[in-house]
Amino acid sequence: MTLTATSTATRPSRRRPGTDAPRSPALPTRTAWRRRLAWLGAGLVVLVLLCAASVAIGSRTVDMPAIVEALGSLGEPVEGLDQAAVVKRIPRTVLALVVGAALGVAGAVMQGVTRNPLADPGILGINMGASLAVVVGMAWFGMFAAHHMIWMAILGAALTAVLVYAIASAGRSGASPLKLALAGAALTAVATSFITAVAMPRGDISANIRSWQIGGVGGAAWDAIGLVAPFLAVGMLLALASARSLNSLALGDDLAAGLGERVMLARGLAALSSVLLAGAATAVAGPIGFVGLVVPHACRLLAGPDHRWLLSYSAVAGAGLLLASDVLGRIIARPSEIDVGILTALIGAPFFIHIVRQRKVREL
Amino acid sequence: MTTHLNLTASTHELRAEGLAVGYGERHVLSGLDLEIEPGTVTSIVGANASGKSTLLRTLSRLLSPAGGQVLLDGRSVHSMPSKELARVLGLLPQSPVSPDGITVADLVGRGRHPHQRMFRAWSAADDAAVAHALDATATADLADRPVDELSGGQRQRVWIAMVLAQQTDLLLLDEPTTFLDVSHQIEVLDLLADLNRDRGTTIVMVLHDLNLAARYSDRLVALEGGRVYAAGPASAVLTEQCVQDVFGLRSRIIDDPVSGGPLVVPVGRHHVAAG
């Protein structure tokens, strides 16, 4: 069939009138579905490439044959420095993947639960609350064991989440985006100065605290990953199971209830998932900022507002961003390294300003 | 065009018995009884703060009553499983939020929520319901447009399409015509009247405009001080005394030259012809 140039030019987003296909709304939905799946596939390919780069690149230059040889002899006793370097990069790569995915999803869920474009485990103070709990555990109770840190971090994350929400909900207008961000900022300030106050007089543990606090995946070890894995897995499953509820909540509480959603329960479960993810990620890698903010926003541009897609995208993109930041940190500071938390802040801060300036801070 | 869907008239009965609702110390509804006849259009009218929205919110169980109950086919809505209720009773609240960048088709699709289970794929029945909702509201052309870009009237039609996709026999709407200009108000009310005629959907809505409420409703419910002042056909409810008691406004009631029903002509302090 022929089509006049004007009709395509003026109505680019509409289907052509009179095409052979029946005028069913399923049509644009299906094509959008395929497009979203294609982007997700592309993201996974990039992620695989980043994994390869993460194993291959480091402060010690290891040539290709040696890398292949090292990977081929995994599980056998390590021979030589090259092989040792490569073997050490594998848990580091895995940690960056899981922590990045966890933070990306935690941010997306938080933005959905609060309908707040600024929600992020960092901005809402969750990461700092988790840090404070870990630092207090170290300084006062001598809790240096990895599994202690995880429980303290999750406890701190949960307490902060409840506290921020309670403070922001006080007053008539409820937990508005602005009040949530303010409450988070206030608690972050309190937690930060408290951490300093706790850590400062303790010369014996301050190095311990500082290295953990900057945030990083460099010190990754399999046993730490194994310890947080169950928390991350439960958090991730809970988040994915909440995706459809988040879609309903996005329409406003009244409409969500009208659609048969139990609003408080759905919101509580989703919030729990983000607390588990953010708390466990912080426990194992320290407070890493901005991943939970940047990733969901970038993903929303491609995935659209459907949380089933958005959460999957955020997992992939979060893993990718953290991995890329980690690899970049090894390249630009050779033969030393820059911690991944510093790089994500460098990338994230301008983006944060961009969001605040470009978009009205309004409900999602 | 509407043959593939079950179009039997609504038989679901919604009633309120002795409803008492309050916010803290303030009693908004006190001992309110109301029966909604299946297959009719009912408009709730009343002055500001007379409890209209509170009544609608309690009927749709957004609010829990302090006393009395809301019964759907004899069962208390407040003890029904939420999704089961949402398959029978749909609600369009006053200010729903449209997520940034969502397309019309996606938004309407979210109305299928109570019919879906976790991880179950989108079904042909979902497709059919969405297609039908878009058709009925004349929004099929807009299916892949972002909701943010639509005009107020178009957007309200899309929201109605969303609750239609929910395929409920009962539809509760809280001021569906607010913020719309007069032609779009008529458009929305015509659409609701179509739904009532073609599908037998029972419609309960809060309306501000008495004359539109009179014209488009089988029954009016006039609220005053948290109680039903009068309920019944517009011709019986809308009297000069009723307008005086419910709104504190002097008025004349004349015959609507278009519908033949009652037409309220308010009498203020100015611009009243002598005699």
mmCIF file of all heavy atoms in Angstrom, chain A residues 33-68:
data_model
loop_
_atom_site.group_PDB
_atom_site.id
_atom_site.type_symbol
_atom_site.label_atom_id
_atom_site.label_comp_id
_atom_site.label_asym_id
_atom_site.label_seq_id
_atom_site.Cartn_x
_atom_site.Cartn_y
_atom_site.Cartn_z
ATOM 1 N N TRP A 33 7.670 -5.076 23.340
ATOM 2 C CA TRP A 33 8.171 -6.223 24.090
ATOM 3 C C TRP A 33 9.450 -6.762 23.458
ATOM 4 O O TRP A 33 10.439 -7.007 24.131
ATOM 5 C CB TRP A 33 7.096 -7.305 24.101
ATOM 6 C CG TRP A 33 7.247 -8.322 25.167
ATOM 7 C CD1 TRP A 33 6.803 -8.218 26.447
ATOM 8 C CD2 TRP A 33 7.876 -9.601 25.050
ATOM 9 N NE1 TRP A 33 7.131 -9.363 27.132
ATOM 10 C CE2 TRP A 33 7.783 -10.228 26.311
ATOM 11 C CE3 TRP A 33 8.511 -10.271 24.004
ATOM 12 C CZ2 TRP A 33 8.300 -11.490 26.561
ATOM 13 C CZ3 TRP A 33 9.024 -11.534 24.245
ATOM 14 C CH2 TRP A 33 8.907 -12.143 25.509
ATOM 15 N N ARG A 34 9.422 -6.905 22.129
ATOM 16 C CA ARG A 34 10.604 -7.411 21.423
ATOM 17 C C ARG A 34 11.778 -6.458 21.542
ATOM 18 O O ARG A 34 12.905 -6.865 21.733
ATOM 19 C CB ARG A 34 10.269 -7.625 19.940
ATOM 20 C CG ARG A 34 9.984 -9.067 19.637
ATOM 21 C CD ARG A 34 9.722 -9.284 18.167
ATOM 22 N NE ARG A 34 8.424 -9.904 17.997
ATOM 23 C CZ ARG A 34 7.456 -9.402 17.253
ATOM 24 N NH1 ARG A 34 7.636 -8.283 16.596
ATOM 25 N NH2 ARG A 34 6.308 -10.026 17.167
ATOM 26 N N ARG A 35 11.465 -5.148 21.460
ATOM 27 C CA ARG A 35 12.525 -4.146 21.556
ATOM 28 C C ARG A 35 13.180 -4.194 22.939
ATOM 29 O O ARG A 35 14.402 -4.157 23.076
ATOM 30 C CB ARG A 35 11.924 -2.762 21.297
ATOM 31 C CG ARG A 35 12.914 -1.638 21.236
ATOM 32 C CD ARG A 35 12.225 -0.358 20.763
ATOM 33 N NE ARG A 35 10.984 -0.085 21.492
ATOM 34 C CZ ARG A 35 10.943 0.491 22.685
ATOM 35 N NH1 ARG A 35 12.047 0.855 23.287
ATOM 36 N NH2 ARG A 35 9.791 0.703 23.289
ATOM 37 N N ARG A 36 12.335 -4.341 23.966
ATOM 38 C CA ARG A 36 12.881 -4.376 25.323
ATOM 39 C C ARG A 36 13.732 -5.614 25.543
ATOM 40 O O ARG A 36 14.779 -5.574 26.174
ATOM 41 C CB ARG A 36 11.732 -4.357 26.343
ATOM 42 C CG ARG A 36 11.089 -2.991 26.456
ATOM 43 C CD ARG A 36 9.783 -3.080 27.220
ATOM 44 N NE ARG A 36 9.099 -1.791 27.212
ATOM 45 C CZ ARG A 36 7.801 -1.647 27.381
ATOM 46 N NH1 ARG A 36 7.045 -2.700 27.573
ATOM 47 N NH2 ARG A 36 7.251 -0.453 27.355
ATOM 48 N N LEU A 37 13.276 -6.741 24.962
ATOM 49 C CA LEU A 37 14.043 -7.972 25.098
ATOM 50 C C LEU A 37 15.392 -7.829 24.394
ATOM 51 O O LEU A 37 16.431 -8.282 24.906
ATOM 52 C CB LEU A 37 13.251 -9.137 24.495
ATOM 53 C CG LEU A 37 13.628 -10.535 24.986
ATOM 54 C CD1 LEU A 37 13.416 -10.633 26.484
ATOM 55 C CD2 LEU A 37 12.800 -11.586 24.259
ATOM 56 N N ALA A 38 15.400 -7.170 23.220
ATOM 57 C CA ALA A 38 16.635 -6.978 22.468
ATOM 58 C C ALA A 38 17.632 -6.146 23.274
ATOM 59 O O ALA A 38 18.822 -6.470 23.342
ATOM 60 C CB ALA A 38 16.334 -6.305 21.132
ATOM 61 N N TRP A 39 17.145 -5.080 23.895
ATOM 62 C CA TRP A 39 18.033 -4.239 24.704
ATOM 63 C C TRP A 39 18.596 -5.013 25.879
ATOM 64 O O TRP A 39 19.769 -4.872 26.234
ATOM 65 C CB TRP A 39 17.287 -3.007 25.219
ATOM 66 C CG TRP A 39 17.242 -1.888 24.234
ATOM 67 C CD1 TRP A 39 16.143 -1.407 23.596
ATOM 68 C CD2 TRP A 39 18.340 -1.095 23.783
ATOM 69 N NE1 TRP A 39 16.492 -0.376 22.766
ATOM 70 C CE2 TRP A 39 17.841 -0.161 22.859
ATOM 71 C CE3 TRP A 39 19.716 -1.103 24.065
ATOM 72 C CZ2 TRP A 39 18.648 0.774 22.218
ATOM 73 C CZ3 TRP A 39 20.525 -0.171 23.418
ATOM 74 C CH2 TRP A 39 19.989 0.749 22.512
ATOM 75 N N LEU A 40 17.754 -5.851 26.471
ATOM 76 C CA LEU A 40 18.213 -6.642 27.616
ATOM 77 C C LEU A 40 19.313 -7.608 27.167
ATOM 78 O O LEU A 40 20.339 -7.757 27.838
ATOM 79 C CB LEU A 40 17.038 -7.414 28.225
ATOM 80 C CG LEU A 40 17.274 -8.030 29.601
ATOM 81 C CD1 LEU A 40 17.569 -6.953 30.626
ATOM 82 C CD2 LEU A 40 16.076 -8.849 30.032
ATOM 83 N N GLY A 41 19.100 -8.220 25.991
ATOM 84 C CA GLY A 41 20.113 -9.115 25.444
ATOM 85 C C GLY A 41 21.414 -8.380 25.183
ATOM 86 O O GLY A 41 22.508 -8.861 25.531
ATOM 87 N N ALA A 42 21.309 -7.186 24.601
ATOM 88 C CA ALA A 42 22.502 -6.377 24.329
ATOM 89 C C ALA A 42 23.229 -6.070 25.636
ATOM 90 O O ALA A 42 24.462 -6.140 25.711
ATOM 91 C CB ALA A 42 22.101 -5.093 23.617
ATOM 92 N N GLY A 43 22.459 -5.740 26.661
ATOM 93 C CA GLY A 43 23.059 -5.443 27.962
ATOM 94 C C GLY A 43 23.821 -6.642 28.508
ATOM 95 O O GLY A 43 24.925 -6.489 29.045
ATOM 96 N N LEU A 44 23.251 -7.829 28.326
ATOM 97 C CA LEU A 44 23.915 -9.030 28.819
ATOM 98 C C LEU A 44 25.222 -9.284 28.073
ATOM 99 O O LEU A 44 26.222 -9.702 28.670
ATOM 100 C CB LEU A 44 22.973 -10.234 28.692
ATOM 101 C CG LEU A 44 21.865 -10.278 29.751
ATOM 102 C CD1 LEU A 44 20.844 -11.359 29.421
ATOM 103 C CD2 LEU A 44 22.453 -10.532 31.139
ATOM 104 N N VAL A 45 25.203 -9.018 26.759
ATOM 105 C CA VAL A 45 26.428 -9.186 25.965
ATOM 106 C C VAL A 45 27.519 -8.252 26.483
ATOM 107 O O VAL A 45 28.674 -8.653 26.693
ATOM 108 C CB VAL A 45 26.153 -8.928 24.460
ATOM 109 C CG1 VAL A 45 27.449 -8.859 23.679
ATOM 110 C CG2 VAL A 45 25.241 -10.010 23.909
ATOM 111 N N VAL A 46 27.144 -6.979 26.709
ATOM 112 C CA VAL A 46 28.102 -6.016 27.236
ATOM 113 C C VAL A 46 28.648 -6.490 28.581
ATOM 114 O O VAL A 46 29.842 -6.378 28.871
ATOM 115 C CB VAL A 46 27.454 -4.623 27.373
ATOM 116 C CG1 VAL A 46 28.382 -3.659 28.104
ATOM 117 C CG2 VAL A 46 27.082 -4.079 26.007
ATOM 118 N N LEU A 47 27.750 -7.059 29.387
ATOM 119 C CA LEU A 47 28.145 -7.531 30.713
ATOM 120 C C LEU A 47 29.197 -8.640 30.600
ATOM 121 O O LEU A 47 30.189 -8.655 31.339
ATOM 122 C CB LEU A 47 26.903 -8.053 31.451
ATOM 123 C CG LEU A 47 26.948 -8.048 32.967
ATOM 124 C CD1 LEU A 47 27.296 -6.670 33.488
ATOM 125 C CD2 LEU A 47 25.606 -8.496 33.526
ATOM 126 N N VAL A 48 28.991 -9.546 29.644
ATOM 127 C CA VAL A 48 29.961 -10.635 29.442
ATOM 128 C C VAL A 48 31.311 -10.056 29.032
ATOM 129 O O VAL A 48 32.366 -10.464 29.537
ATOM 130 C CB VAL A 48 29.432 -11.631 28.388
ATOM 131 C CG1 VAL A 48 30.527 -12.605 27.983
ATOM 132 C CG2 VAL A 48 28.228 -12.380 28.933
ATOM 133 N N LEU A 49 31.289 -9.069 28.133
ATOM 134 C CA LEU A 49 32.534 -8.435 27.701
ATOM 135 C C LEU A 49 33.242 -7.774 28.880
ATOM 136 O O LEU A 49 34.465 -7.868 29.033
ATOM 137 C CB LEU A 49 32.255 -7.397 26.608
ATOM 138 C CG LEU A 49 31.746 -7.961 25.279
ATOM 139 C CD1 LEU A 49 31.423 -6.850 24.305
ATOM 140 C CD2 LEU A 49 32.790 -8.912 24.692
ATOM 141 N N LEU A 50 32.436 -7.103 29.731
ATOM 142 C CA LEU A 50 33.019 -6.452 30.901
ATOM 143 C C LEU A 50 33.646 -7.472 31.846
ATOM 144 O O LEU A 50 34.702 -7.234 32.437
ATOM 145 C CB LEU A 50 31.960 -5.628 31.640
ATOM 146 C CG LEU A 50 31.601 -4.288 31.013
ATOM 147 C CD1 LEU A 50 30.371 -3.695 31.672
ATOM 148 C CD2 LEU A 50 32.771 -3.319 31.125
ATOM 149 N N CYS A 51 32.990 -8.618 31.984
ATOM 150 C CA CYS A 51 33.542 -9.680 32.828
ATOM 151 C C CYS A 51 34.902 -10.103 32.296
ATOM 152 O O CYS A 51 35.868 -10.267 33.051
ATOM 153 C CB CYS A 51 32.614 -10.895 32.851
ATOM 154 S SG CYS A 51 31.157 -10.654 33.853
ATOM 155 N N ALA A 52 34.970 -10.288 30.969
ATOM 156 C CA ALA A 52 36.236 -10.684 30.355
ATOM 157 C C ALA A 52 37.300 -9.626 30.635
ATOM 158 O O ALA A 52 38.433 -9.940 31.018
ATOM 159 C CB ALA A 52 36.041 -10.871 28.855
ATOM 160 N N ALA A 53 36.923 -8.363 30.479
ATOM 161 C CA ALA A 53 37.868 -7.268 30.714
ATOM 162 C C ALA A 53 38.315 -7.268 32.172
ATOM 163 O O ALA A 53 39.491 -7.044 32.476
ATOM 164 C CB ALA A 53 37.213 -5.932 30.360
ATOM 165 N N SER A 54 37.369 -7.534 33.067
ATOM 166 C CA SER A 54 37.680 -7.494 34.490
ATOM 167 C C SER A 54 38.679 -8.584 34.865
ATOM 168 O O SER A 54 39.523 -8.397 35.739
ATOM 169 C CB SER A 54 36.392 -7.656 35.307
ATOM 170 O OG SER A 54 36.683 -7.774 36.670
ATOM 171 N N VAL A 55 38.581 -9.742 34.195
ATOM 172 C CA VAL A 55 39.511 -10.822 34.486
ATOM 173 C C VAL A 55 40.857 -10.544 33.833
ATOM 174 O O VAL A 55 41.915 -10.884 34.365
ATOM 175 C CB VAL A 55 38.921 -12.174 34.012
ATOM 176 C CG1 VAL A 55 39.955 -13.280 34.123
ATOM 177 C CG2 VAL A 55 37.692 -12.519 34.835
ATOM 178 N N ALA A 56 40.836 -9.880 32.687
ATOM 179 C CA ALA A 56 42.069 -9.696 31.909
ATOM 180 C C ALA A 56 42.889 -8.498 32.369
ATOM 181 O O ALA A 56 44.107 -8.486 32.242
ATOM 182 C CB ALA A 56 41.721 -9.550 30.434
ATOM 183 N N ILE A 57 42.213 -7.452 32.867
ATOM 184 C CA ILE A 57 42.900 -6.193 33.147
ATOM 185 C C ILE A 57 43.146 -6.049 34.643
ATOM 186 O O ILE A 57 42.269 -6.298 35.455
ATOM 187 C CB ILE A 57 42.065 -4.999 32.634
ATOM 188 C CG1 ILE A 57 41.892 -5.094 31.117
ATOM 189 C CG2 ILE A 57 42.723 -3.675 33.026
ATOM 190 C CD1 ILE A 57 40.878 -4.143 30.555
ATOM 191 N N GLY A 58 44.330 -5.607 34.978
ATOM 192 C CA GLY A 58 44.632 -5.360 36.382
ATOM 193 C C GLY A 58 45.943 -4.641 36.510
ATOM 194 O O GLY A 58 46.589 -4.301 35.503
ATOM 195 N N SER A 59 46.345 -4.373 37.759
ATOM 196 C CA SER A 59 47.594 -3.645 37.938
ATOM 197 C C SER A 59 48.774 -4.485 37.453
ATOM 198 O O SER A 59 49.791 -3.957 37.031
ATOM 199 C CB SER A 59 47.767 -3.243 39.402
ATOM 200 O OG SER A 59 47.422 -4.328 40.230
ATOM 201 N N ARG A 60 48.633 -5.810 37.492
ATOM 202 C CA ARG A 60 49.674 -6.642 36.918
ATOM 203 C C ARG A 60 49.265 -7.040 35.506
ATOM 204 O O ARG A 60 48.167 -7.543 35.282
ATOM 205 C CB ARG A 60 49.863 -7.902 37.769
ATOM 206 C CG ARG A 60 50.952 -8.805 37.240
ATOM 207 C CD ARG A 60 51.102 -10.080 38.058
ATOM 208 N NE ARG A 60 52.154 -10.911 37.479
ATOM 209 C CZ ARG A 60 53.442 -10.756 37.759
ATOM 210 N NH1 ARG A 60 53.829 -9.827 38.603
ATOM 211 N NH2 ARG A 60 54.349 -11.537 37.198
ATOM 212 N N THR A 61 50.161 -6.760 34.542
ATOM 213 C CA THR A 61 49.830 -7.086 33.167
ATOM 214 C C THR A 61 50.076 -8.571 32.916
ATOM 215 O O THR A 61 51.174 -9.068 33.115
ATOM 216 C CB THR A 61 50.687 -6.266 32.196
ATOM 217 O OG1 THR A 61 50.669 -4.913 32.628
ATOM 218 C CG2 THR A 61 50.156 -6.371 30.785
ATOM 219 N N VAL A 62 49.012 -9.224 32.524
ATOM 220 C CA VAL A 62 49.111 -10.643 32.240
ATOM 221 C C VAL A 62 48.708 -10.833 30.786
ATOM 222 O O VAL A 62 47.665 -10.334 30.360
ATOM 223 C CB VAL A 62 48.164 -11.453 33.154
ATOM 224 C CG1 VAL A 62 48.308 -12.935 32.867
ATOM 225 C CG2 VAL A 62 48.433 -11.156 34.612
ATOM 226 N N ASP A 63 49.527 -11.529 29.999
ATOM 227 C CA ASP A 63 49.166 -11.645 28.572
ATOM 228 C C ASP A 63 48.116 -12.738 28.367
ATOM 229 O O ASP A 63 47.862 -13.569 29.236
ATOM 230 C CB ASP A 63 50.404 -11.862 27.691
ATOM 231 C CG ASP A 63 51.202 -13.078 28.141
ATOM 232 O OD1 ASP A 63 50.666 -13.856 28.962
ATOM 233 O OD2 ASP A 63 52.344 -13.241 27.696
ATOM 234 N N MET A 64 47.505 -12.688 27.182
ATOM 235 C CA MET A 64 46.344 -13.508 26.877
ATOM 236 C C MET A 64 46.559 -15.007 27.129
ATOM 237 O O MET A 64 45.740 -15.639 27.810
ATOM 238 C CB MET A 64 45.930 -13.263 25.432
ATOM 239 C CG MET A 64 44.441 -13.159 25.179
ATOM 240 S SD MET A 64 43.375 -12.944 26.582
ATOM 241 C CE MET A 64 42.478 -11.505 26.150
ATOM 242 N N PRO A 65 47.637 -15.596 26.577
ATOM 243 C CA PRO A 65 47.820 -17.040 26.776
ATOM 244 C C PRO A 65 47.863 -17.413 28.260
ATOM 245 O O PRO A 65 47.276 -18.425 28.672
ATOM 246 C CB PRO A 65 49.172 -17.322 26.106
ATOM 247 C CG PRO A 65 49.354 -16.211 25.143
ATOM 248 C CD PRO A 65 48.676 -15.016 25.721
ATOM 249 N N ALA A 66 48.477 -16.536 29.055
ATOM 250 C CA ALA A 66 48.582 -16.838 30.480
ATOM 251 C C ALA A 66 47.207 -16.808 31.146
ATOM 252 O O ALA A 66 46.898 -17.607 32.030
ATOM 253 C CB ALA A 66 49.512 -15.840 31.158
ATOM 254 N N ILE A 67 46.374 -15.835 30.689
ATOM 255 C CA ILE A 67 45.016 -15.745 31.237
ATOM 256 C C ILE A 67 44.232 -17.010 30.922
ATOM 257 O O ILE A 67 43.604 -17.620 31.798
ATOM 258 C CB ILE A 67 44.282 -14.508 30.662
ATOM 259 C CG1 ILE A 67 44.945 -13.235 31.173
ATOM 260 C CG2 ILE A 67 42.816 -14.540 31.029
ATOM 261 C CD1 ILE A 67 44.455 -11.986 30.498
ATOM 262 N N VAL A 68 44.320 -17.413 29.641
ATOM 263 C CA VAL A 68 43.589 -18.602 29.219
ATOM 264 C C VAL A 68 44.077 -19.813 30.004
ATOM 265 O O VAL A 68 43.288 -20.640 30.488
ATOM 266 C CB VAL A 68 43.753 -18.819 27.700
ATOM 267 C CG1 VAL A 68 43.124 -20.154 27.292
ATOM 268 C CG2 VAL A 68 43.129 -17.667 26.924
#
